[in-house]
Amino acid sequence: MNLALDLFTVSALSAGALFFLAGTVGLIRFPDPLTRLHALTKVDNLGLGLVVLGLLPHANGPVGALKLVSIWLLVQLSGAIVTQLIAGAVRERGPRE
Amino acid sequence: MTILFFADVGLVLLVLAIGASTIFVRKAFDAVIAFVVYGLLLAIVWVRLSAIDVALTEAAIGGGMTGMLLLGAVARLRSAELDSPRIGLRVRLAAGFFCALVASCLAGALLLSPKAIPTLAPAVMENLVHTGLGNPVAGVLFAYRALDTMLEKVVLLLALLGVWSLAPNDAWNGIPGLRVYERPSSTLTFLAQVLPPVGIVVGIYMCWVGANEPGGAFQGGTILAAMWLLVIVARLERAPSIGQPWLRIGLVVGPITFLAVGLAGLVLANAFLGYPPGYAKALIVAIEVTLTISIAVALTMLAAGPPKQEQQ
Amino acid sequence: MSDATLFGLCGAALVGIGLYGLITNPEPLRKILAFNLLGSGVFLVFGFISRRAAADGFPGDPVPQAMVITAIVVAFAATALAIALVQRLLEQTGRATLSSDEPVSADKSNS
C-alpha cells in the first residue's frame, strides 16, 4: 500500500514538474505577451494541481489535505485574475516589448 | 552527496543568478521583477534552513510588500528614467575586487567556524514551558527578547512618521496617494470581493497559530495589510486620510499594549516585560492580537505612502 | 559540506553582489535594491549560524531566527522610507538621481 502511494506521488509530481518545465519554456520562447500568459496558466492549473494531487497522500490528515487543495485554488484564482488584468493592459497599450 | 544536496546547489545557483541579475540588468523594471522572484526563492532557502517562521516573513514582507513598494516606485520613476552616466571601468573593477574580498573574508569566516557553535536552543526550550508557548521562535520574540519586538514595532511607527512628514504642507491630514487602478475593472473588483474574506481568515489564523507552530503576529499582520491594500487598489474603498482617529488608535494600540504589559510586569513580576507566572500565555496572546492589528495598519500606511491630496 | 554551509556561502556571495551594486549603481532605486540584497545575504549568514547551532535534537537555534525576523521587518521599514524619499526627490527636482552632473536627455537613452 505504501509502495503504491509512493509510486502515485512520484508519478504525479513528475507530471507536474513536466508541466512546470513546459510552461517555463513557453514563457521564454513564445513571442508575444498573450501567448506567454497562455503558457503560464498551464503551470498554475495543471502543474500545481498535479503536484498537490501527488502530495495529498502525505498530508497531515484531512485538514492538511484541505489546506493543500485551498492553496491550489487560491493560486488559480489569483493567477486567472492577474492574467486577465495583464492581457487587458496589453490589449490597450499594445505589446511593449 | 544525496539528491537533496544537488537540489540545494541548484537552488543556490538560481538564487545567485537572479540576485546578480537584479544588480546588472539595465532597466529598473526588470530589476524589480527579478527582486520579487529573488525574495520568493529566498523563502524556499529559509525552509531548507529549517526556519519556517523566517520563510513566512521573507515571503510576505521581503517578497510581497517590498515588491509592491518597488513596483509602485518604478511606475512613478518611469517618467524620469534618464541614462545616468555609467561609472567608469576602473572604478567598477576596483569595486568588484573590494566586494570579492569582503565576500571571501565572510566565506572564510563561515568555513572556519568551529564544529560546535555555542547555542542557546537548549536554554530556550527548557524555559519555554513556563511561557505556555509551543513555538520556540515565538518564545524568543515575545518572552526572551520582547524588548526587541516592542522596539521593532516602534521602528515601524517611526518609519511611518518619516513617510508622512514628506507630505506637502497643504496635504497634511490628507489621503495617501496610493496608485489605484484607473480603469473600472470587473475582474479586479471580483478578486477584491472574493479574496479579502479568505485572506482575513488566513491572517487571523496565522497570528493565532503562531503560539504553537510557525506563524505569528508579523506574518498574519502582513496578510491583513495585503488584503486592505487590495481593496484600496481595486477602488472598493478609499485610502483613509491619515488624520482619522481610528487609524491612529489602530497604529498605536499594539505598542501601547506591549508597553503597558511591560510596565505592569515591573510591579507584578519584578522585571520590565516580565510576565507573572500563570498569566504568561494570556498576556502574550493579548499582545500578539493587538500587535497584529497595529502591524496591519502600519504596513498598509507605509505602502500607501505620504498624503497627496487634501482630506475631503 | 553540510547544507547549512552551502547556504552560508550563498549569503556571503550575496553580500558581495549587493555591496557591488550599492557602490556602482548611480540611481537611488537601484541602490535600494542592492541594499536589500546585501541585507538578505547577511540574514542568510544568520541562518547558517542558526542551523549549525542545532543541538539536542532541535533543528535550529531560535534566537538568530527571531533576530532575522526582526531584521526583515526593519529592513522593510527602511526601504519604505527610502522609496518615499526618492519619490519626493523626483517631485521636487524632476530627476530621480542624486548626481549633480547634467542629465543626458531621455531620447539618447538606449532602451
Side-chain angles (χ1 to χ4, degrees):
Chain A
M1 186 57 185
N2 273 334
L3 180 63
L5 279 180
D6 282 344
L7 272 178
F8 169 72
T9 300
V10 168
S11 50
L13 284 176
S14 310
L18 198 67
F19 275 101
F20 269 85
L21 181 66
T24 311
V25 170
L27 175 65
I28 298 176
R29 298 281 304 179
F30 276 168
D32 194 48
L34 290 180
T35 48
R36 283 182 227 144
L37 286 173
H38 175 76
L40 283 177
T41 53
K42 307 298 158 279
V43 172
D44 267 349
N45 300 346
L46 276 176
L48 193 60
L50 283 169
V51 167
V52 165
L53 196 63
L55 289 176
L56 280 182
H58 298 277
N60 287 337
V63 177
L66 213 58
K67 285 188 204 173
L68 279 176
V69 172
S70 60
I71 290 176
W72 178 50
L73 292 176
L74 282 173
V75 169
Q76 271 194 293
L77 173 70
S78 56
I81 302 281
V82 168
T83 304
Q84 284 275 327
L85 292 174
I86 295 180
V90 165
R91 189 181 61 173
E92 278 206 8
R93 298 180 213 168
R96 212 187 294 239
E97 68 232 276
Chain B
M1 294 280 175
T2 62
I3 292 256
L4 209 51
F5 177 73
F6 288 114
D8 284 342
V9 169
L11 182 62
V12 162
L13 288 176
L14 202 55
V15 164
L16 286 177
I18 297 199
S21 81
T22 307
I23 302 293
F24 291 112
V25 85
R26 273 298 169 90
K27 302 176 64 172
F29 182 70
D30 299 346
V32 169
I33 299 289
F35 180 75
V36 175
V37 175
Y38 166 80
L40 296 179
L41 281 177
L42 215 56
I44 303 182
V45 170
W46 281 112
V47 172
R48 288 293 300 137
L49 280 170
S50 315
I52 315 279
D53 307 72
V54 181
L56 286 172
T57 313
E58 171 68 41
I61 298 185
M65 295 295 293
T66 312
M68 181 189 166
L69 278 180
L70 290 166
L71 279 175
V74 157
R76 264 185 235 237
L77 294 176
R78 196 186 289 263
S79 59
E81 200 151 289
L82 307 165
D83 200 14
S84 316
R86 312 227 349 130
I87 310 258
L89 184 63
R90 288 173 59 181
V91 177
R92 276 193 280 153
L93 281 178
F97 177 70
F98 170 68
C99 297
L101 193 63
V102 168
S104 43
C105 286
L106 200 52
L110 291 179
L111 287 173
L112 293 174
S113 58
K115 274 293 174 202
I117 293 190
T119 173
L120 287 169
V124 167
M125 298 306 285
E126 197 177 299
N127 292 315
L128 200 61
V129 69
H130 298 306
T131 60
L133 298 173
N135 184 5
V137 177
V140 175
L141 277 177
F142 288 105
Y144 305 127
R145 306 288 313 180
L147 187 62
D148 288 347
T149 311
M150 185 177 79
L151 293 179
E152 167 189 6
K153 185 63 189 64
V154 172
V155 164
L156 271 182
L157 285 182
L158 287 177
L160 188 58
L161 278 178
V163 167
W164 279 355
S165 67
L166 290 172
N169 276 339
D170 52 356
W172 185 249
N173 267 356
I175 300 175
L178 178 65
R179 280 173 72 111
V180 298
Y181 212 69
E182 289 132 9
R183 282 171 280 122
S185 163
S186 51
T187 29
L188 190 56
T189 311
F190 171 69
L191 184 69
Q193 286 170 334
V194 167
L195 200 56
V198 178
I200 291 177
V201 169
V202 172
I204 295 178
Y205 168 73
M206 253 205 222
C207 164
W208 179 255
V209 88
N212 290 324
E213 289 175 36
F218 290 99
Q219 295 87 339
T222 311
I223 294 190
L224 294 177
M227 292 299 112
W228 193 3
L229 284 168
L230 175 63
V231 166
I232 295 178
V233 166
R235 299 172 86 192
L236 288 181
E237 289 249 344
R238 303 197 71 182
S241 78
I242 67 172
Q244 302 266 15
W246 60 264
L247 183 74
R248 299 197 172 181
I249 291 179
L251 278 174
V252 300
V253 72
I256 286 191
T257 312
F258 218 143
L259 193 60
V261 169
L263 290 173
L266 267 179
V267 174
L268 297 173
N270 287 331
F272 181 60
L273 282 174
Y275 300 117
Y279 289 98
K281 176 99 186 266
L283 285 173
I284 290 179
V285 169
I287 290 176
E288 279 213 58
V289 167
T290 50
L291 207 60
T292 306
I293 297 174
S294 285
I295 288 169
V297 179
L299 288 180
T300 308
M301 286 296 117
L302 271 175
K308 278 289 154 50
Q309 51 187 103
E310 299 221 20
Q311 182 181 19
Q312 281 151 8
Chain C
M1 185 189 296
S2 74
D3 52 354
T5 316
L6 188 63
F7 293 122
L9 292 177
C10 175
L14 284 171
V15 166
I17 296 176
L19 198 57
Y20 179 78
L22 192 58
I23 296 177
T24 60
N25 234 316
E27 298 175 27
L29 194 64
R30 305 298 292 266
K31 282 196 199 281
I32 294 175
L33 280 175
F35 162 76
N36 274 322
L37 218 66
L38 175 60
S40 59
V42 173
F43 302 156
L44 276 182
V45 172
F46 268 76
F48 161 80
I49 295 177
S50 154
R51 183 85 178 93
R52 276 287 298 274
D56 293 354
F58 307 122
D61 191 358
V63 177
Q65 292 179 10
M67 293 171 77
V68 170
I69 292 181
T70 307
I72 291 177
V73 176
V74 170
F76 168 75
T79 304
L81 187 54
I83 287 183
L85 283 170
V86 170
Q87 290 180 338
R88 191 81 178 114
L89 177 70
L90 174 67
E91 283 171 28
Q92 287 289 108
T93 65
R95 300 161 53 211
T97 169
L98 296 169
S99 161
S100 52
D101 299 338
E102 275 300 310
V104 178
S105 64
D107 56 307
K108 284 195 205 158
S109 71
N110 43 348
S111 61

